[in-house]
Amino acid sequence: MRDLAPETGAGLAVRGLRLARKGSVLLDVAALQLDGPGPTLILGPNGAGKSLLLRCLHGLISADQGRVLYRGGVLTAEHMARQAMVFQQPVLLRRSVAANLDFVLKRQGLCREIRKARISALLAEGGLQDKARQSARSLSGGEAQRLAILRALATDPETLFLDEPTSALDPSATQVIEQMIRRASARGVRIVMVTHDIGQARRLAADIVMMQGGRVVEHGAAKQVLDAPITQAARRYLAGGLVT
Ligand SMILES: Nc1ncnc2c1ncn2[C@@H]1O[C@H](COP(=O)(O)OP(=O)(O)OP(=O)(O)O)[C@@H](O)[C@H]1O
Ligand SMILES: [Mg+2]
């Protein structure tokens, strides 16, 4: 049986995923199929299971039951190596901004010249050219987020998972990051991203996964989910989100 259509997007899917801790079911996703080119944005209230789902999709957590499929087969360590994830609180190395990027590029076995050119291009992409020599640990929150995304992009991932990458950022830093995400998506990087920002979902998403109580309550084209949600859970979340 062919589970996925590898020619469309990254072909990411979940079947019968269940995760429980101390008697509570944290994730219960019967089926989810992310076949389109994305970006896919995951929305839902605090504690809905968005971060857990993202971690499962990237293979960082094994569920108690079910499986994650990637490009037509069960997710493997090789697949994971072709994916990247950016956490809400970026973990940066205690060295310069440029050295954080160089670290990733060295692991790809690239020669010094090529690494230098790649670092310049990446820094320009994230608007961090003038920060190259600054210690990564002294960057502002928004700059650190940008560097974390650049470092993820430096691995040239097929799929990039982002967990609320702009949650603590000002509008202009958010714009820079959204632009980076849009460009990566246009280059063919499959983006799967968690956000609480409904405006951001409207700006970026091709499709939206709405979660509540560990379940996917709705998944569809962004416009359909945002403008005409089918479930009451989605309607309620979106109504709450729009009241500011
Ligand atoms: N290791 C764990 N043990 C017990 N409960 C856990 C564990 N990890 C997560 N949870 C619980 O699972 C639920 C879903 O967590 P998750 O981090 O996925 O939520 P979320 O949708 O990302 O929320 P937020 O919007 O606040 O980031 C939460 O109630 C959380 O407390
Ligand atoms: Mg979360």
PDB file of all heavy atoms in Angstrom, residues 3-36:
ATOM      1  N   ASP A   3       1.380   4.815   1.157  1.00  0.00           N
ATOM      2  CA  ASP A   3       0.827   5.692   2.175  1.00  0.00           C
ATOM      3  C   ASP A   3       0.807   7.145   1.742  1.00  0.00           C
ATOM      4  O   ASP A   3      -0.062   7.901   2.087  1.00  0.00           O
ATOM      5  CB  ASP A   3       1.680   5.601   3.452  1.00  0.00           C
ATOM      6  CG  ASP A   3       1.236   4.454   4.322  1.00  0.00           C
ATOM      7  OD1 ASP A   3       0.020   4.253   4.423  1.00  0.00           O
ATOM      8  OD2 ASP A   3       2.118   3.774   4.868  1.00  0.00           O
ATOM      9  N   LEU A   4       1.826   7.545   1.015  1.00  0.00           N
ATOM     10  CA  LEU A   4       2.023   8.960   0.743  1.00  0.00           C
ATOM     11  C   LEU A   4       2.363   9.195  -0.711  1.00  0.00           C
ATOM     12  O   LEU A   4       2.776   8.294  -1.416  1.00  0.00           O
ATOM     13  CB  LEU A   4       3.198   9.482   1.578  1.00  0.00           C
ATOM     14  CG  LEU A   4       3.026   9.468   3.087  1.00  0.00           C
ATOM     15  CD1 LEU A   4       4.353   9.721   3.744  1.00  0.00           C
ATOM     16  CD2 LEU A   4       2.037  10.516   3.506  1.00  0.00           C
ATOM     17  N   ALA A   5       2.172  10.430  -1.103  1.00  0.00           N
ATOM     18  CA  ALA A   5       2.579  10.815  -2.446  1.00  0.00           C
ATOM     19  C   ALA A   5       3.863  11.609  -2.325  1.00  0.00           C
ATOM     20  O   ALA A   5       3.831  12.793  -2.040  1.00  0.00           O
ATOM     21  CB  ALA A   5       1.483  11.659  -3.084  1.00  0.00           C
ATOM     22  N   PRO A   6       5.036  10.977  -2.515  1.00  0.00           N
ATOM     23  CA  PRO A   6       6.290  11.683  -2.265  1.00  0.00           C
ATOM     24  C   PRO A   6       6.510  12.862  -3.191  1.00  0.00           C
ATOM     25  O   PRO A   6       7.268  13.767  -2.885  1.00  0.00           O
ATOM     26  CB  PRO A   6       7.366  10.607  -2.490  1.00  0.00           C
ATOM     27  CG  PRO A   6       6.670   9.377  -2.916  1.00  0.00           C
ATOM     28  CD  PRO A   6       5.200   9.629  -2.978  1.00  0.00           C
ATOM     29  N   GLU A   7       5.842  12.850  -4.354  1.00  0.00           N
ATOM     30  CA  GLU A   7       6.086  13.946  -5.286  1.00  0.00           C
ATOM     31  C   GLU A   7       5.426  15.247  -4.827  1.00  0.00           C
ATOM     32  O   GLU A   7       5.694  16.302  -5.348  1.00  0.00           O
ATOM     33  CB  GLU A   7       5.614  13.560  -6.704  1.00  0.00           C
ATOM     34  CG  GLU A   7       4.117  13.434  -6.890  1.00  0.00           C
ATOM     35  CD  GLU A   7       3.583  12.077  -6.446  1.00  0.00           C
ATOM     36  OE1 GLU A   7       4.343  11.281  -5.861  1.00  0.00           O
ATOM     37  OE2 GLU A   7       2.410  11.818  -6.674  1.00  0.00           O
ATOM     38  N   THR A   8       4.551  15.181  -3.829  1.00  0.00           N
ATOM     39  CA  THR A   8       3.901  16.399  -3.345  1.00  0.00           C
ATOM     40  C   THR A   8       4.434  16.746  -1.964  1.00  0.00           C
ATOM     41  O   THR A   8       4.184  16.060  -0.998  1.00  0.00           O
ATOM     42  CB  THR A   8       2.371  16.213  -3.259  1.00  0.00           C
ATOM     43  OG1 THR A   8       2.124  15.037  -2.505  1.00  0.00           O
ATOM     44  CG2 THR A   8       1.715  16.108  -4.601  1.00  0.00           C
ATOM     45  N   GLY A   9       5.201  17.827  -1.887  1.00  0.00           N
ATOM     46  CA  GLY A   9       5.734  18.256  -0.599  1.00  0.00           C
ATOM     47  C   GLY A   9       6.600  17.193   0.031  1.00  0.00           C
ATOM     48  O   GLY A   9       7.156  16.334  -0.635  1.00  0.00           O
ATOM     49  N   ALA A  10       6.704  17.270   1.357  1.00  0.00           N
ATOM     50  CA  ALA A  10       7.573  16.330   2.054  1.00  0.00           C
ATOM     51  C   ALA A  10       6.859  15.021   2.330  1.00  0.00           C
ATOM     52  O   ALA A  10       7.487  14.038   2.703  1.00  0.00           O
ATOM     53  CB  ALA A  10       8.048  16.943   3.357  1.00  0.00           C
ATOM     54  N   GLY A  11       5.540  14.983   2.144  1.00  0.00           N
ATOM     55  CA  GLY A  11       4.814  13.751   2.415  1.00  0.00           C
ATOM     56  C   GLY A  11       4.977  13.317   3.854  1.00  0.00           C
ATOM     57  O   GLY A  11       5.594  12.293   4.158  1.00  0.00           O
ATOM     58  N   LEU A  12       4.466  14.158   4.732  1.00  0.00           N
ATOM     59  CA  LEU A  12       4.590  13.915   6.166  1.00  0.00           C
ATOM     60  C   LEU A  12       3.217  13.471   6.647  1.00  0.00           C
ATOM     61  O   LEU A  12       2.213  14.073   6.286  1.00  0.00           O
ATOM     62  CB  LEU A  12       4.976  15.248   6.788  1.00  0.00           C
ATOM     63  CG  LEU A  12       5.541  15.348   8.165  1.00  0.00           C
ATOM     64  CD1 LEU A  12       6.788  14.498   8.302  1.00  0.00           C
ATOM     65  CD2 LEU A  12       5.904  16.807   8.431  1.00  0.00           C
ATOM     66  N   ALA A  13       3.188  12.408   7.461  1.00  0.00           N
ATOM     67  CA  ALA A  13       1.876  11.909   7.889  1.00  0.00           C
ATOM     68  C   ALA A  13       1.961  11.235   9.239  1.00  0.00           C
ATOM     69  O   ALA A  13       3.035  10.816   9.681  1.00  0.00           O
ATOM     70  CB  ALA A  13       1.332  10.934   6.851  1.00  0.00           C
ATOM     71  N   VAL A  14       0.819  11.147   9.868  1.00  0.00           N
ATOM     72  CA  VAL A  14       0.711  10.511  11.172  1.00  0.00           C
ATOM     73  C   VAL A  14      -0.444   9.514  11.119  1.00  0.00           C
ATOM     74  O   VAL A  14      -1.478   9.800  10.548  1.00  0.00           O
ATOM     75  CB  VAL A  14       0.427  11.626  12.220  1.00  0.00           C
ATOM     76  CG1 VAL A  14      -0.279  11.080  13.427  1.00  0.00           C
ATOM     77  CG2 VAL A  14       1.709  12.327  12.636  1.00  0.00           C
ATOM     78  N   ARG A  15      -0.210   8.353  11.695  1.00  0.00           N
ATOM     79  CA  ARG A  15      -1.278   7.344  11.751  1.00  0.00           C
ATOM     80  C   ARG A  15      -1.432   6.842  13.183  1.00  0.00           C
ATOM     81  O   ARG A  15      -0.450   6.338  13.765  1.00  0.00           O
ATOM     82  CB  ARG A  15      -0.897   6.129  10.892  1.00  0.00           C
ATOM     83  CG  ARG A  15      -0.703   6.422   9.439  1.00  0.00           C
ATOM     84  CD  ARG A  15      -2.045   6.448   8.700  1.00  0.00           C
ATOM     85  NE  ARG A  15      -1.814   6.573   7.273  1.00  0.00           N
ATOM     86  CZ  ARG A  15      -1.606   7.729   6.645  1.00  0.00           C
ATOM     87  NH1 ARG A  15      -1.606   8.846   7.318  1.00  0.00           N
ATOM     88  NH2 ARG A  15      -1.401   7.762   5.345  1.00  0.00           N
ATOM     89  N   GLY A  16      -2.603   6.999  13.731  1.00  0.00           N
ATOM     90  CA  GLY A  16      -2.945   6.417  15.038  1.00  0.00           C
ATOM     91  C   GLY A  16      -1.982   6.767  16.160  1.00  0.00           C
ATOM     92  O   GLY A  16      -1.660   5.933  17.002  1.00  0.00           O
ATOM     93  N   LEU A  17      -1.562   8.036  16.190  1.00  0.00           N
ATOM     94  CA  LEU A  17      -0.558   8.452  17.181  1.00  0.00           C
ATOM     95  C   LEU A  17      -1.211   8.686  18.541  1.00  0.00           C
ATOM     96  O   LEU A  17      -2.165   9.452  18.659  1.00  0.00           O
ATOM     97  CB  LEU A  17       0.074   9.760  16.694  1.00  0.00           C
ATOM     98  CG  LEU A  17       1.467  10.072  17.203  1.00  0.00           C
ATOM     99  CD1 LEU A  17       2.482   9.128  16.588  1.00  0.00           C
ATOM    100  CD2 LEU A  17       1.828  11.513  16.845  1.00  0.00           C
ATOM    101  N   ARG A  18      -0.673   8.022  19.543  1.00  0.00           N
ATOM    102  CA  ARG A  18      -1.200   8.212  20.910  1.00  0.00           C
ATOM    103  C   ARG A  18      -0.050   8.333  21.878  1.00  0.00           C
ATOM    104  O   ARG A  18       0.902   7.542  21.844  1.00  0.00           O
ATOM    105  CB  ARG A  18      -2.051   6.998  21.308  1.00  0.00           C
ATOM    106  CG  ARG A  18      -3.528   7.298  21.382  1.00  0.00           C
ATOM    107  CD  ARG A  18      -4.273   6.049  21.771  1.00  0.00           C
ATOM    108  NE  ARG A  18      -4.527   6.028  23.206  1.00  0.00           N
ATOM    109  CZ  ARG A  18      -5.546   6.629  23.778  1.00  0.00           C
ATOM    110  NH1 ARG A  18      -6.416   7.311  23.069  1.00  0.00           N
ATOM    111  NH2 ARG A  18      -5.735   6.548  25.083  1.00  0.00           N
ATOM    112  N   LEU A  19      -0.150   9.320  22.745  1.00  0.00           N
ATOM    113  CA  LEU A  19       0.877   9.528  23.753  1.00  0.00           C
ATOM    114  C   LEU A  19       0.167   9.846  25.070  1.00  0.00           C
ATOM    115  O   LEU A  19      -0.657  10.759  25.125  1.00  0.00           O
ATOM    116  CB  LEU A  19       1.763  10.713  23.334  1.00  0.00           C
ATOM    117  CG  LEU A  19       2.934  11.061  24.245  1.00  0.00           C
ATOM    118  CD1 LEU A  19       4.032  10.016  24.161  1.00  0.00           C
ATOM    119  CD2 LEU A  19       3.517  12.423  23.851  1.00  0.00           C
ATOM    120  N   ALA A  20       0.473   9.066  26.094  1.00  0.00           N
ATOM    121  CA  ALA A  20      -0.163   9.308  27.394  1.00  0.00           C
ATOM    122  C   ALA A  20       0.913   9.374  28.460  1.00  0.00           C
ATOM    123  O   ALA A  20       1.963   8.733  28.357  1.00  0.00           O
ATOM    124  CB  ALA A  20      -1.149   8.192  27.703  1.00  0.00           C
ATOM    125  N   ARG A  21       0.677  10.196  29.480  1.00  0.00           N
ATOM    126  CA  ARG A  21       1.568  10.270  30.643  1.00  0.00           C
ATOM    127  C   ARG A  21       0.708  10.303  31.889  1.00  0.00           C
ATOM    128  O   ARG A  21      -0.215  11.121  31.974  1.00  0.00           O
ATOM    129  CB  ARG A  21       2.434  11.537  30.611  1.00  0.00           C
ATOM    130  CG  ARG A  21       3.494  11.564  29.528  1.00  0.00           C
ATOM    131  CD  ARG A  21       4.707  10.679  29.839  1.00  0.00           C
ATOM    132  NE  ARG A  21       5.708  10.750  28.792  1.00  0.00           N
ATOM    133  CZ  ARG A  21       5.715  10.013  27.681  1.00  0.00           C
ATOM    134  NH1 ARG A  21       4.754   9.153  27.447  1.00  0.00           N
ATOM    135  NH2 ARG A  21       6.679  10.144  26.789  1.00  0.00           N
ATOM    136  N   LYS A  22       1.058   9.463  32.837  1.00  0.00           N
ATOM    137  CA  LYS A  22       0.338   9.426  34.115  1.00  0.00           C
ATOM    138  C   LYS A  22      -1.185   9.434  33.935  1.00  0.00           C
ATOM    139  O   LYS A  22      -1.912  10.215  34.559  1.00  0.00           O
ATOM    140  CB  LYS A  22       0.747  10.619  34.992  1.00  0.00           C
ATOM    141  CG  LYS A  22       2.214  10.564  35.380  1.00  0.00           C
ATOM    142  CD  LYS A  22       2.570  11.660  36.369  1.00  0.00           C
ATOM    143  CE  LYS A  22       4.057  11.654  36.661  1.00  0.00           C
ATOM    144  NZ  LYS A  22       4.686  12.945  36.521  1.00  0.00           N
ATOM    145  N   GLY A  23      -1.644   8.581  33.053  1.00  0.00           N
ATOM    146  CA  GLY A  23      -3.096   8.437  32.885  1.00  0.00           C
ATOM    147  C   GLY A  23      -3.762   9.491  32.018  1.00  0.00           C
ATOM    148  O   GLY A  23      -4.933   9.350  31.680  1.00  0.00           O
ATOM    149  N   SER A  24      -3.055  10.577  31.657  1.00  0.00           N
ATOM    150  CA  SER A  24      -3.736  11.525  30.749  1.00  0.00           C
ATOM    151  C   SER A  24      -3.223  11.351  29.329  1.00  0.00           C
ATOM    152  O   SER A  24      -2.017  11.197  29.107  1.00  0.00           O
ATOM    153  CB  SER A  24      -3.542  12.989  31.156  1.00  0.00           C
ATOM    154  OG  SER A  24      -2.764  13.111  32.269  1.00  0.00           O
ATOM    155  N   VAL A  25      -4.173  11.419  28.426  1.00  0.00           N
ATOM    156  CA  VAL A  25      -3.823  11.326  27.006  1.00  0.00           C
ATOM    157  C   VAL A  25      -3.376  12.701  26.541  1.00  0.00           C
ATOM    158  O   VAL A  25      -4.127  13.668  26.615  1.00  0.00           O
ATOM    159  CB  VAL A  25      -5.041  10.837  26.181  1.00  0.00           C
ATOM    160  CG1 VAL A  25      -4.712  10.845  24.700  1.00  0.00           C
ATOM    161  CG2 VAL A  25      -5.461   9.455  26.638  1.00  0.00           C
ATOM    162  N   LEU A  26      -2.128  12.782  26.104  1.00  0.00           N
ATOM    163  CA  LEU A  26      -1.586  14.069  25.677  1.00  0.00           C
ATOM    164  C   LEU A  26      -1.745  14.269  24.174  1.00  0.00           C
ATOM    165  O   LEU A  26      -1.901  15.392  23.698  1.00  0.00           O
ATOM    166  CB  LEU A  26      -0.103  14.175  26.053  1.00  0.00           C
ATOM    167  CG  LEU A  26       0.231  13.972  27.537  1.00  0.00           C
ATOM    168  CD1 LEU A  26       1.718  14.134  27.769  1.00  0.00           C
ATOM    169  CD2 LEU A  26      -0.555  14.933  28.414  1.00  0.00           C
ATOM    170  N   LEU A  27      -1.656  13.171  23.443  1.00  0.00           N
ATOM    171  CA  LEU A  27      -1.826  13.237  21.988  1.00  0.00           C
ATOM    172  C   LEU A  27      -2.670  12.066  21.539  1.00  0.00           C
ATOM    173  O   LEU A  27      -2.429  10.923  21.971  1.00  0.00           O
ATOM    174  CB  LEU A  27      -0.471  13.137  21.279  1.00  0.00           C
ATOM    175  CG  LEU A  27       0.333  14.383  20.978  1.00  0.00           C
ATOM    176  CD1 LEU A  27       1.577  13.995  20.181  1.00  0.00           C
ATOM    177  CD2 LEU A  27      -0.460  15.440  20.223  1.00  0.00           C
ATOM    178  N   ASP A  28      -3.621  12.346  20.689  1.00  0.00           N
ATOM    179  CA  ASP A  28      -4.454  11.297  20.120  1.00  0.00           C
ATOM    180  C   ASP A  28      -4.825  11.736  18.702  1.00  0.00           C
ATOM    181  O   ASP A  28      -5.842  12.401  18.494  1.00  0.00           O
ATOM    182  CB  ASP A  28      -5.709  11.120  21.004  1.00  0.00           C
ATOM    183  CG  ASP A  28      -6.563   9.959  20.536  1.00  0.00           C
ATOM    184  OD1 ASP A  28      -6.161   9.266  19.578  1.00  0.00           O
ATOM    185  OD2 ASP A  28      -7.643   9.757  21.130  1.00  0.00           O
ATOM    186  N   VAL A  29      -3.959  11.419  17.779  1.00  0.00           N
ATOM    187  CA  VAL A  29      -4.156  11.877  16.397  1.00  0.00           C
ATOM    188  C   VAL A  29      -4.324  10.652  15.506  1.00  0.00           C
ATOM    189  O   VAL A  29      -3.358   9.945  15.204  1.00  0.00           O
ATOM    190  CB  VAL A  29      -2.961  12.745  15.923  1.00  0.00           C
ATOM    191  CG1 VAL A  29      -3.183  13.229  14.509  1.00  0.00           C
ATOM    192  CG2 VAL A  29      -2.745  13.931  16.862  1.00  0.00           C
ATOM    193  N   ALA A  30      -5.560  10.408  15.118  1.00  0.00           N
ATOM    194  CA  ALA A  30      -5.864   9.213  14.329  1.00  0.00           C
ATOM    195  C   ALA A  30      -5.138   9.274  12.980  1.00  0.00           C
ATOM    196  O   ALA A  30      -4.469   8.318  12.581  1.00  0.00           O
ATOM    197  CB  ALA A  30      -7.371   9.100  14.131  1.00  0.00           C
ATOM    198  N   ALA A  31      -5.280  10.395  12.299  1.00  0.00           N
ATOM    199  CA  ALA A  31      -4.639  10.522  10.985  1.00  0.00           C
ATOM    200  C   ALA A  31      -4.414  11.985  10.665  1.00  0.00           C
ATOM    201  O   ALA A  31      -5.280  12.823  10.922  1.00  0.00           O
ATOM    202  CB  ALA A  31      -5.526   9.899   9.905  1.00  0.00           C
ATOM    203  N   LEU A  32      -3.255  12.247  10.145  1.00  0.00           N
ATOM    204  CA  LEU A  32      -2.932  13.598   9.677  1.00  0.00           C
ATOM    205  C   LEU A  32      -2.030  13.432   8.467  1.00  0.00           C
ATOM    206  O   LEU A  32      -1.071  12.671   8.505  1.00  0.00           O
ATOM    207  CB  LEU A  32      -2.206  14.393  10.783  1.00  0.00           C
ATOM    208  CG  LEU A  32      -1.782  15.815  10.423  1.00  0.00           C
ATOM    209  CD1 LEU A  32      -2.994  16.706  10.151  1.00  0.00           C
ATOM    210  CD2 LEU A  32      -0.936  16.431  11.553  1.00  0.00           C
ATOM    211  N   GLN A  33      -2.368  14.128   7.417  1.00  0.00           N
ATOM    212  CA  GLN A  33      -1.630  13.969   6.161  1.00  0.00           C
ATOM    213  C   GLN A  33      -1.187  15.343   5.685  1.00  0.00           C
ATOM    214  O   GLN A  33      -2.033  16.173   5.364  1.00  0.00           O
ATOM    215  CB  GLN A  33      -2.583  13.327   5.145  1.00  0.00           C
ATOM    216  CG  GLN A  33      -1.943  12.885   3.865  1.00  0.00           C
ATOM    217  CD  GLN A  33      -1.349  11.486   3.962  1.00  0.00           C
ATOM    218  OE1 GLN A  33      -1.849  10.659   4.701  1.00  0.00           O
ATOM    219  NE2 GLN A  33      -0.292  11.238   3.229  1.00  0.00           N
ATOM    220  N   LEU A  34       0.109  15.581   5.714  1.00  0.00           N
ATOM    221  CA  LEU A  34       0.631  16.883   5.271  1.00  0.00           C
ATOM    222  C   LEU A  34       1.334  16.676   3.938  1.00  0.00           C
ATOM    223  O   LEU A  34       2.544  16.506   3.883  1.00  0.00           O
ATOM    224  CB  LEU A  34       1.589  17.457   6.321  1.00  0.00           C
ATOM    225  CG  LEU A  34       1.039  17.620   7.742  1.00  0.00           C
ATOM    226  CD1 LEU A  34       2.102  18.193   8.678  1.00  0.00           C
ATOM    227  CD2 LEU A  34      -0.214  18.481   7.763  1.00  0.00           C
ATOM    228  N   ASP A  35       0.545  16.651   2.887  1.00  0.00           N
ATOM    229  CA  ASP A  35       1.091  16.359   1.565  1.00  0.00           C
ATOM    230  C   ASP A  35       1.417  17.587   0.733  1.00  0.00           C
ATOM    231  O   ASP A  35       2.208  17.510  -0.180  1.00  0.00           O
ATOM    232  CB  ASP A  35       0.092  15.511   0.769  1.00  0.00           C
ATOM    233  CG  ASP A  35       0.309  14.036   1.010  1.00  0.00           C
ATOM    234  OD1 ASP A  35       1.383  13.668   1.534  1.00  0.00           O
ATOM    235  OD2 ASP A  35      -0.587  13.260   0.673  1.00  0.00           O
ATOM    236  N   GLY A  36       0.770  18.687   1.045  1.00  0.00           N
ATOM    237  CA  GLY A  36       0.950  19.876   0.216  1.00  0.00           C
ATOM    238  C   GLY A  36       2.326  20.473   0.407  1.00  0.00           C
ATOM    239  O   GLY A  36       3.121  19.996   1.220  1.00  0.00           O
TER     240      GLY A  36
END
